[in-house]
Structures are given as structure tokens and as C-alpha cells.
Amino acid sequence: MPATIPDPRSAYWSAKFPPQKQDYPGWTEEMRPVPDHGEESYAGSHRLDGFVTLITGADSGIGRAVAVAYAREGADVAFTYLPEEEGDAAQTVQLIEDAGQRALALPGDLQDEGFCTEVIAHVVDELGGLDVLVNNAGFQMAQPGGMEDISTEQLEQTYRTNVYAIFWLTKAALPHLRPGASIINTTSIQGYHPSPSLIDYASTKSAIVSITYSLAQSLGDRGIRVNAVAPGPIWTPLQPPTQPVGKIEEFGQNTPLGRAGQPAELAGSYVFLASPESTYVSGTVIGVTGGRYLA
Ligand code: NAD
Ligand code: MG
């Protein structure tokens, strides 16, 4: 009897999405359909027992799916979110605690260096250390008109959130990271195949690839691994507020697998990169793109 294996084209929602718009930053329960973070499907097997982990932007989307997986693998999970995302953050806390792990929810703005430094201090004080830092929070705002429509304010928000915060969090974390610890950055297919409407965002994602490569070189002799995950189009609250009206319906349809990905489909890569299964993996980017290649 051949095993029953899921068809990747239809394993998750594969139809066009209903038209929808939200104000930024977007809320999980207002999405149609509501994304899948692995709530019903992710089964842990002690791959991160006793780890202390920090995930930025884990109230929702990819970060929440990683939080669910890390907690079910036996890790305590601290995470950051924006103050207006309190409702989503409370749900992530519940999911971590339901897995029997400690949750630490830290609201604030990662564009502020002081907040980034405080986050690391809080995690170390309250959870007793730090083994895995997942730099996942990110900002994008599509500008179909291109370069001339990217305000200096938007440029700053995109760079401070996506790039500066990685420097600030990583600098504050390094004194606490022991050999065996790892840093995992969320980049994007946009870092390799930039869209004309996301010039600022795509350039931050290329920068994150470069930071991942150079940090892996610089931290190898301290026994700290650095890797990244490059998602393709993933169904998260980032999309309805930041894509032009009329674009959301087609979201993900142009991938080889013909659909958008769900946050749950990302979790395995972040677990692999954090766990001792990947002790010889550093300086690598894993693409989770529905078939589009990374250059
Ligand atoms: P999401 O909106 O669910 O998560 C992003 C989170 O970033 C937000 O929940 C918010 O808490 C946080 N954030 C944004 N600005 C912040 C700030 N100034 N201070 C503190 N926190 C802030 O969306 P997501 O898609 O899960 O995004 C997670 C990561 O995945 C981002 O880096 C994004 O660029 C990346 N990504 C997403 C896709 C996609 O299609 N959804 C594709 C490639 C890469
Ligand atoms: Mg959110």
C-alpha cells in the first residue's frame, strides 16, 4: 500500500482569496480565511527541550507558527509585538502556555534601539538566558507607483524595523549566547527577486541575506550558528493592509505550486535551524517559496 502523502498544490487553501483590506498592522481574526499556524497539526518531539527562545513579531503570522512549534518542541518562548496587536499576542501566549511552556510577551517598537536592548535584558532576567534569537518582525508597504512614492518616513520605518533592529537585538544578545546558540533571520524571496512595488522592502531583505552570511563567518569561532529563512508569499496579517486593492485575490497564484503558503508550512525550517539536528548548518538560507528559486 503506498503511503498517503499530501499533494502540495492542495494541502492548504489554494483558491483565490476573497477581496479584503485592513488597516496596518493587520489582525489575524479579521483575515478570510484565518491563517493556519499549526494549532491543530504541529506535533512536537522534544527537539528543543529546555531551550530559551526569542522571536520578534510572533503575535501573528510566521512568528506565531514558529512560537507554536518551539513551545511544542519543549522551548520557553519570549516574543515581541506592537502594542496595538495585544489581541493577537494574547492568543500566542495561550498557545505557548497550552504546550506547557513559559511565555513572555514584550510589547514595543523595534525601531527604538532602547526597546531592543531592554527586550534582551528582560528575556535573560526572566527566562534565565537565551539560546535562539529569531529576528522575524518586518514591515512592508507596497507602492505601485515605485520609487517616487516611497516617502522618507516609509524608508526609515522599513530600514529601522527590518535591518537596524537586527543589529540592535543581535548586539545586545551576543554577550548571552553560548556555543550551540543560533540566530535565525527572516529574509524573503523579495531579497532575490524584487518586485517593482517593494523597492525599499526588497532591499532590506537583500541586506538581511548579507548580514546572515557575514555574521555566520564572524561568529563561527564562537560556536554560534547564523541562518535565514526566505519565505515566498505567505498568508499573514502583513498582506491585507500593505498590498494594493485588487492584488490580494491573486496572492501566491503565480508560484509553481499555484497557491500562497500558510505560516504553519514555515515552522519546520525554523525548528530545524534551531535544533541540534543542524549543528553543521551555518550561513545558509532556506527558501520556503512554493517553488520559486533563490538565485
Ligand atoms: P505579520 O504581520 O504576522 O508579522 C510581522 C510582525 O512584525 C507583526 O506582527 C509585528 O508585531 C512586527 N512588527 C512590525 N513592525 C514592528 C515594529 N516597528 N516594532 C515591533 N514589531 C514590529 O507578518 P508575517 O508575514 O508573518 O511577517 C513575518 C516576517 O516574514 C517579516 O519579516 C516579513 O517581512 C517576512 N516575510 C513575509 C512574507 C509573507 O508573504 N507574509 C514573505 C516573505 C517574508
Ligand atoms: Mg501582527
Side-chain angles (χ1 to χ4, degrees):
M1 256 298 262
T4 308
I5 53 173
D7 182 334
R9 297 166 301 178
S10 54
Y12 291 88
W13 181 278
S14 55
K16 289 185 180 175
F17 292 108
Q20 55 200 288
K21 190 76 188 163
Q22 288 196 41
D23 291 334
Y24 184 81
W27 292 269
T28 304
E29 294 300 327
E30 289 183 24
M31 294 184 73
R32 292 292 171 268
V34 172
D36 181 356
H37 311 92
E39 292 92 337
E40 306 300 327
S41 56
Y42 194 92
S45 54
H46 304 285
R47 290 156 80 191
L48 301 176
D49 269 347
F51 278 56
V52 176
T53 64
L54 167 63
I55 310 164
T56 61
D59 56 294
S60 58
I62 296 165
R64 185 192 283 183
V66 177
V68 168
Y70 279 10
R72 292 184 188 180
E73 294 292 355
D76 289 333
V77 183
F79 70 93
T80 70
Y81 62 100
L82 289 165
E84 55 268 45
E85 298 174 313
E86 194 61 54
D88 270 352
Q91 293 223 353
T92 299
V93 166
Q94 190 65 53
L95 286 160
I96 296 164
E97 290 180 348
D98 286 349
Q101 298 302 135
R102 289 186 293 173
L104 180 62
L106 301 163
D109 188 348
L110 294 168
Q111 297 180 76
D112 172 8
E113 181 174 6
F115 175 66
C116 292
T117 311
E118 277 167 30
V119 160
I120 301 294
H122 263 96
V123 175
V124 171
D125 284 353
E126 293 184 37
L127 298 181
L130 182 62
D131 301 306
V132 178
L133 168 62
V134 182
N135 288 306
N136 169 74
F139 172 73
Q140 70 170 32
M141 188 57 70
Q143 296 297 353
M147 183 65 108
E148 287 142 302
D149 288 344
I150 299 172
S151 65
T152 299
E153 191 187 22
Q154 171 170 329
L155 187 63
E156 289 212 357
Q157 184 172 353
T158 310
Y159 266 81
R160 291 178 84 87
T161 308
N162 299 5
V163 179
Y164 290 20
I166 293 187
F167 280 87
W168 294 329
L169 288 160
T170 304
K171 276 173 67 175
L174 276 173
H176 306 285
L177 298 182
R178 304 172 289 169
S182 63
I183 299 169
I184 305 168
N185 300 320
T186 302
T187 174
S188 170
I189 186 79
Q190 287 291 325
Y192 297 87
H193 300 278
S195 297
S197 62
L198 291 168
I199 298 171
D200 53 340
Y201 172 80
S203 68
T204 66
K205 294 299 179 176
S206 298
I208 293 170
V209 173
S210 170
I211 293 165
T212 303
Y213 290 160
S214 51
L215 262 186
Q217 309 310 302
S218 112
L219 297 177
D221 65 359
R222 290 162 67 168
I224 299 167
R225 298 182 299 110
V226 187
N227 292 289
V229 177
I234 310 299
W235 189 238
T236 72
L238 185 65
Q239 300 303 340
T242 66
Q243 295 286 357
V245 176
K247 274 271 182 193
I248 210 76
E249 293 89 322
E250 305 288 334
F251 187 65
Q253 296 280 318
N254 65 352
T255 59
L257 292 178
R259 65 171 175 87
Q262 292 291 326
E265 297 182 276
L266 277 293
S269 297
Y270 289 85
V271 170
F272 170 69
L273 292 174
S275 81
E277 289 157 47
S278 61
T279 39
Y280 203 54
V281 180
S282 191
T284 286
V285 182
I286 298 181
V288 186
T289 61
R292 292 193 70 196
Y293 56 87
L294 305 180

